[in-house]
Amino acid sequence: MSGTTTIFKRELRSYFATPVAYVFIVIFLLLSGAFTFYLGGFYERGQADLQPFFTFHPWLYLFLVPAVSMRLWAEERKSGTIELLLTLPVTMWQAVLGKFLAAWSFIALALALTFPIWLTVNYLGNPDNGVICASYLGSLLMAGAFLAIGSCLSAATRNQVVAFILTVVVCFLLLLAGYPIVLGAIGAIAPQGVVDAIAGLSFLAHFESIGKGVVDLRDLIYFVLMIVAWLYATAIVIDMKKAA
Amino acid sequence: MIETRELSKRYGQFTAVDAISFKVEPGQVLGFLGPNGAGKSTTMKMLAGFLAPSAGSATVAGFDVQAQPLLAKRALGYLPEGAPSYGEMTVREFLDFIASVRGLAGDAGERRIDEVIARLHLERVLEQPIDTLSKGFKRRVGLAGAILHDPKVLILDEPTDGLDPNQKQEVRSLINSMARDKTIIISTHLLEEVHAVCTRAIIIAGGRILADATPAELESRSRYHQAVSLTATNLQQAKDALAKVADIAALEVDPQDNRITAFPKPGRQIFVAVSDALKADQVVVRELALEGGRLDEVFRSITQGAAGAEVRT
């Protein structure tokens, strides 16, 4: 476990050693604010909740999370430090997990810094804080799933731009999996069972279900499984690619 | 101790390392020589546990690198090719990170870090991000990371690449000072380095071991071994004098500086005979030297001979 902690600390510190962290946090806060107030009509709705705030998170993450994840392994491969890291006495899992958790904590920090909007809504009215807590949890889990996907695709290439684009595309497909456009297209060629299975993979459906304030174990398990599966794939991809 | 048995690495059809077996004991410094793409780095990567071998096995300090990877990695200090390190970290942060992964904690850890910093003369750049350092400093930071936990086994892939002559000298004396109780493998392109630090040299090309001997033994395979070279004011007079020495097999004259090299017949020593002959004829000699043998020439003949053999088959 100590290997994971050490790698976690190193990674997290490296975010703040470069402008990456500050740029990311500022953009995240600005965009989430702009979306909430202008697109979401936070005031105009006249309701004391954070629905307009959380609705846009999947779309914000779609571009911001791959920007964080793209460097996770691609940079290690490009600079050769992957050889240093994996010849230290740590297991592959400690390395994959340490790097992932650092990136996730970093995004959690950015998410936590949106707390003024929570204060605002409590000042303006009496929101259901249980729902807000659940939504924060759902948002964080979804970011984790995006990151795990990004981690795997970052391991697959040494080019960060390629990693970014691949991650955006895969995340976009998983987001839209619950939408009629995708489901309709698949329904035309595949049986109902497949359509249901793909609809079940939708990020949005699970995120919205948690956002209603009902924390269903199935939604939690969905995101946790998603993260574990993609991290497992990350380890496999690293093993395959380092030989080449 | 390091031991490999039939260690091989294949990429599809291409064989990078072909059933290499060798054993290095504590106290030995083994130099890995070979042309680019010979399989030196691939072998080292397999020993370090970064690449999995396609066949065969390797042990580091008694631990199988495949079956007991963590134990093997703990006993090993490894400097990868190009000495990669995290550029955004300062030198101190980087060394703290390595110490922490290696489980060097507390006062003992701190002392060891300071010791290594002093040994590699990193005091001046401790608080600088590694990205901003010169090539020589980067290499030394990588070396510092590799020796930080005072490992029993050291594998250094081109440790002096990019260093200036003074820094090269310092790194070589560092390796020499550690050699007594450690097992060390270094790879290098510099043949004078083999002379300076290695007790044994393995020449590999095409993934195979072509020679395994001490540097002196390798040199004795050179055409220049026991040859005598000289420069004389009167070239023709010197040649005439040398013609009288029976044990000389051949004479060569360098057209650029008129340096004469006299090659002995196999197993003969000609230095005394040559100097006597020159004295007898009163040849004025500016310089007279006994050649020890030229590693670069041995290296060329061994590696190119192998390449030629492969072409023929």
Side-chain angles (χ1 to χ4, degrees):
Chain A
M1 206 54 210
S2 72
T4 311
T5 321
T6 308
I7 291 170
F8 170 83
K9 281 189 198 148
R10 196 212 75 74
E11 283 286 316
L12 196 56
R13 196 177 295 162
S14 87
Y15 286 111
F16 293 94
T18 57
V20 173
Y22 306 102
V23 171
F24 180 88
I25 289 176
V26 169
I27 298 285
F28 179 77
L29 295 179
L30 281 179
L31 283 182
S32 66
F35 283 165
T36 310
F37 290 103
Y38 294 107
L39 292 177
F42 180 69
Y43 290 126
E44 291 80 354
R45 291 172 76 243
Q47 286 182 34
D49 64 17
L50 285 182
Q51 209 211 313
F53 169 65
F54 286 112
T55 309
F56 293 103
H57 276 196
W59 308 104
L60 256 181
Y61 289 151
L62 182 58
F63 289 98
L64 290 181
V65 172
V68 172
S69 68
M70 67 181 188
R71 53 175 290 285
L72 274 178
W73 290 100
E75 193 171 82
E76 296 260 0
R77 295 246 327 260
K78 178 129 196 174
S79 67
T81 44
I82 190 166
E83 201 173 328
L84 175 78
L85 182 65
L86 295 180
T87 53
L88 289 171
V90 293
T91 63
M92 175 73 86
W93 263 111
Q94 289 174 324
V96 169
L97 204 61
K99 284 173 88 69
F100 168 77
L101 289 177
W104 203 15
S105 309
F106 171 64
I107 289 173
L109 174 71
L111 189 61
L113 286 176
T114 61
F115 73 94
I117 203 157
W118 173 71
L119 292 180
T120 307
V121 81
N122 270 282
Y123 173 74
L124 292 173
N126 288 309
D128 185 339
N129 280 320
V131 170
I132 292 177
C133 268
S135 296
Y136 266 115
L137 177 68
S139 178
L140 185 61
L141 282 171
M142 188 172 57
F146 275 37
L147 258 185
I149 294 170
S151 163
C152 178
L153 294 173
S154 171
T157 171
R158 64 176 64 210
N159 186 321
Q160 297 196 22
V161 177
V162 173
F164 176 83
I165 293 172
L166 285 178
T167 310
V168 170
V169 169
V170 172
C171 290
F172 185 64
L173 287 177
L174 278 169
L175 266 183
L176 282 190
Y179 270 56
I181 320 169
V182 174
L183 293 182
I186 295 166
I189 50 165
Q192 189 59 35
V194 176
V195 176
D196 288 346
I198 287 173
L201 279 179
S202 165
F203 272 32
L204 276 181
H206 291 279
F207 176 60
E208 279 163 4
S209 135
I210 295 179
K212 287 185 188 115
V214 192
V215 181
D216 189 332
L217 195 59
R218 278 174 301 180
D219 295 322
L220 296 185
I221 289 176
Y222 166 77
F223 280 118
V224 171
L225 274 183
M226 204 71 173
I227 291 171
V228 171
W230 283 97
L231 288 184
Y232 188 68
T234 306
I236 292 175
V237 170
I238 294 170
D239 241 348
M240 270 166 41
K241 285 293 248 181
K242 72 181 180 183
Chain B
M1 196 186 76
I2 298 174
E3 190 173 4
T4 71
R5 277 191 218 97
E6 305 278 305
L7 194 67
S8 305
K9 183 73 192 174
R10 281 183 290 275
Y11 298 109
Q13 290 292 306
F14 176 69
T15 304
V17 175
D18 193 3
I20 281 186
S21 303
F22 62 84
K23 193 170 171 181
V24 195
E25 304 282 355
Q28 279 189 334
V29 181
L30 173 68
F32 251 16
L33 302 173
N36 285 327
K40 303 187 297 280
S41 286
T42 308
T43 306
M44 291 180 141
K45 281 174 190 179
M46 285 193 279
L47 287 173
F50 181 68
L51 290 181
S54 310
S57 67
T59 59
V60 166
F63 303 111
D64 188 298
V65 295
Q66 286 298 103
Q68 303 156 291
L70 284 187
L71 290 171
K73 284 172 186 177
R74 258 182 220 133
L76 174 73
Y78 175 53
L79 178 73
E81 192 178 6
S85 49
Y86 292 104
E88 79 281 354
M89 298 177 104
T90 66
V91 174
R92 178 171 287 283
E93 281 170 353
F94 179 71
L95 293 179
D96 283 345
F97 165 66
I98 300 285
S100 166
V101 175
R102 295 276 184 196
L104 292 169
D107 285 349
E110 283 293 316
R111 260 203 310 280
R112 179 64 191 159
I113 291 177
D114 289 340
E115 213 176 293
V116 169
I117 287 170
R119 257 182 132 167
L120 287 154
H121 307 290
L122 295 171
E123 298 91 343
R124 228 158 34 80
V125 297
L126 271 187
E127 307 304 330
Q128 272 190 45
I130 295 171
D131 261 346
T132 66
L133 300 179
S134 68
K135 210 175 166 193
F137 268 119
K138 279 185 189 161
R139 179 85 25 173
R140 281 186 277 162
V141 170
L143 257 174
I147 65 168
L148 194 60
H149 59 300
D150 196 18
K152 282 197 199 112
V153 178
L154 259 179
I155 296 181
L156 309 172
D157 202 344
E158 298 187 1
T160 60
D161 188 40
L163 301 182
D164 68 33
N166 293 334
Q167 294 165 341
K168 277 194 175 109
Q169 187 46 48
E170 274 178 26
V171 167
R172 284 172 195 163
S173 63
L174 174 75
I175 294 172
N176 278 331
S177 71
M178 292 187 300
R180 210 174 316 128
D181 51 347
K182 292 190 201 311
T183 310
I184 303 179
I185 297 185
I186 68 166
S187 77
T188 180
H189 284 298
L190 305 169
L191 296 160
E192 90 248 20
E193 193 151 289
V194 178
H195 236 327
V197 294
C198 299
T199 56
R200 181 177 158 199
I202 282 184
I203 297 181
I204 59 177
R208 263 176 252 165
I209 295 182
L210 299 180
D212 181 350
T214 65
E217 281 164 4
L218 282 177
E219 277 167 355
S220 70
R221 295 191 200 178
S222 165
R223 208 159 66 90
Y224 287 91
H225 183 60
Q226 294 293 343
V228 174
S229 65
L230 58 117
T231 47
T233 40
N234 188 332
L235 181 65
Q236 195 50 51
Q237 194 194 3
K239 273 172 137 179
D240 291 341
L242 290 175
K244 293 171 195 155
V245 180
D247 282 339
I248 289 181
L251 275 184
E252 258 176 32
V253 181
D254 187 324
Q256 270 186 351
D257 56 0
N258 284 341
R259 189 181 186 87
I260 306 172
T261 309
F263 297 98
K265 286 179 178 160
R268 299 302 180 92
Q269 302 206 342
I270 54 170
F271 186 78
V272 175
V274 165
S275 80
D276 286 350
L278 292 170
K279 227 179 275 170
D281 283 18
Q282 293 181 330
V283 180
V284 182
V285 176
R286 276 198 296 264
E287 199 192 337
L288 179 67
L290 177 66
E291 300 270 340
R294 297 188 185 171
L295 263 185
D296 57 342
E297 190 233 339
V298 175
F299 177 82
R300 254 200 321 275
S301 71
I302 288 177
T303 54
Q304 288 178 345
E310 253 162 55
V311 171
R312 257 176 268 129
T313 50

